Amino acid sequence: MIASVAFRNFKALRSTGLALSPFNLVIGPNGSGKTSLIQAVLQLHNLARLPLRQSGAETERRPEGAEITFRFSPPYDGLEASLGCVSDTMCDLLQVIPLSTGEGVDDWAGLRARLLTVRNYMFEHTAIAAPSSDRDYAELTLNGGNLATVLSARRIHHPEEFARLAAELFRMMPEYDEIEFVELPGRLIDLKLRLADTAEWVVAENLSQGTLYVLALLTLVFDPAPPAIICIEELDRGVHPRMLREMRDLLYRLSYPKETGSQKPPVQVIVTTHSPYLLDLFRDHPEEVVITEKHGAAARFTRLDQCADLTNVLSSGSLGDLWFSGVIGGVPEEK
Amino acid sequence: MKLAILSESPADEAAIAVLVEAVIGHKFTRVQSSLRARGWPSVAQVLPSIIRHLHFNTDADGLIVVVDSDDSVVHTAPHEAPEYYHPMCRMCQLRAIFRQTMKKLPPAHGRDRILRGVGVAVPAVEAWYLCGLEDSVTEANWIAGQTAAQPPYTRRQLKGRAYGTERPNLYQETEIAVREARRHARDTRRLEYDFPGFASLASELRAWPKVS
């Protein structure tokens, strides 16, 4: 979907860029631009909703104002999207520029339709565990707060997809064998899981953080109409290190659907993490790891597969340990 | 017989259990399920603690450890010479860790020491799964490639060829790993011939005293 993004003066991203893969794991110290990358994608999503405007119209711009430039993969590689910003954090202008080569030069409408589906998630277990309004079923909200309603609606409208989700949940967490929904006063819906051993029901507020996050992730993965791009911040939060392999595998189903026999269109995935255990899982796919670094006030991106002498570096330890050691970068500056 | 297996993933563990049963000729009881290491050098780091734990806190008869060689020096016949130790060979390193850890331990649970079974998959366990299916995938070919600085395949390619995708999920990986291990279990001679890193494990297992 997004082939590359280049930044100028956007927050700490003064002059940097990176090529994006179908799957992208972004690692780096706090304040190094991981979230800024996701915010840039969201700015593109937000501005794509509006009619295209001409540069310089209505808004006075600083010459040194922030600019973010996106290129896309086929069938939209004939277009470039440039975001102009009134400050180093707020973009208000989207220009779509046809390129001399590539497909889709005349298909901004098609690209726009895909960009409008972009979703960003920062799951919060307390929000996920709370009952949600029965009217809020269209798509999972940023913090996962309407999970019960979305899943309840999915069971009614997409029973096959719901059954696949439930089967995957029970495989990953064999302590449960049933999922059910409860209607509460005030048009609220709650969810509960049944313990396989005792047949007791566990309501959402008593489920572990990790269970709730896994449920939220499964809800995205088994979406009957997946978005073009999903961004997830802190994928590892609340999840046991050994469960991270399953989390990665779930997201790979989105990015590489054909490899699991799915006919769904691929979803570009951008996730951030601070977990060396999650990073360990990308030893064979260094091209999927983006390292953010901050030097002084400026941050920049590099890809792990661009690391000098990577083969020898990888021979000396696990990726997570190498990251912590500072060998591959992506660690806080120390003065 | 009560055994523990230390491996890098649940898929590897399931396949190794099948292979071990084929070599020892009977089923065994898993003492401590789900011992896991995060690849090399994590295995070497956690192994002494695992040996001590199994020795003192369980009635395990033996511990089986299987690791990938990755790009390290492959264990060859000269390494088997008495007192020989190659510091870059994972088989030599693992055996040394067993020796050094166990010689300090007093008897416990009615046994002097737990039995050792070490295997090294060259360059990765997926090569074992492809053994007999692709003639070019052998330990000898890998060593020849290393010598010529032209590896015949990468870990990633082996994954793609073994699982049909470079990004198998755990379910796919386990299913195929166990399927191929069962194929070898019918007759382990080809795997032992093509992969001395497995033959070493098999040899150690066969040398174990009979335990009721």
Side-chain angles (χ1 to χ4, degrees), chain A residues 191-229:
Chain A
L191 69 81
K192 57 184 183 180
L193 298 179
R194 189 174 67 186
L195 288 168
D197 285 347
T198 63
E200 287 176 70
W201 289 95
V202 183
V203 293
E205 69 170 343
N206 291 332
L207 292 170
S208 72
Q209 285 185 41
T211 303
L212 293 167
Y213 292 139
V214 167
L215 255 176
L217 193 63
L218 286 167
T219 306
L220 300 183
V221 172
F222 290 92
D223 187 336
I229 301 172

Side-chain angles (χ1 to χ4, degrees), chain A residues 280-314:
Chain A
D280 277 347
L281 303 174
F282 292 83
R283 180 186 187 86
D284 290 331
H285 295 281
E287 76 283 0
E288 292 177 343
V289 178
V290 176
I291 302 165
T292 65
E293 294 201 78
K294 197 170 184 184
H295 298 288
R300 67 183 176 90
F301 298 112
T302 52
R303 282 203 164 269
L304 180 58
D305 60 352
Q306 295 167 340
C307 226
D309 201 23
L310 182 65
T311 305
N312 283 334
V313 167
L314 288 178

Side-chain angles (χ1 to χ4, degrees), chain A residues 171 242 245-246 248-249 252 256 259-260 277 280 283-285 287-288 311 316-318 320-321, chain B residues 9 34-36 38 40-41 45 70-71 90 155-156 159 165-173:
Chain A
R171 187 192 64 76
R242 285 198 191 180
R245 163 76 194 266
E246 298 273 19
R248 183 204 68 174
D249 289 352
Y252 270 167
Y256 303 97
E259 297 194 20
T260 50
Y277 299 104
D280 277 347
R283 180 186 187 86
D284 290 331
H285 295 281
E287 76 283 0
E288 292 177 343
T311 305
S316 61
S318 74
D321 286 341
Chain B
S9 84
S34 301
L35 290 172
R36 198 84 68 236
R38 293 166 54 209
W40 197 268
Q45 289 161 355
D70 299 321
D71 295 312
R90 292 183 181 175
R155 286 169 50 93
R156 192 165 161 169
K159 269 191 195 296
T165 165
E166 290 180 353
R167 297 174 183 80
N169 61 42
L170 200 49
Y171 178 78
Q172 291 173 298
E173 202 172 304

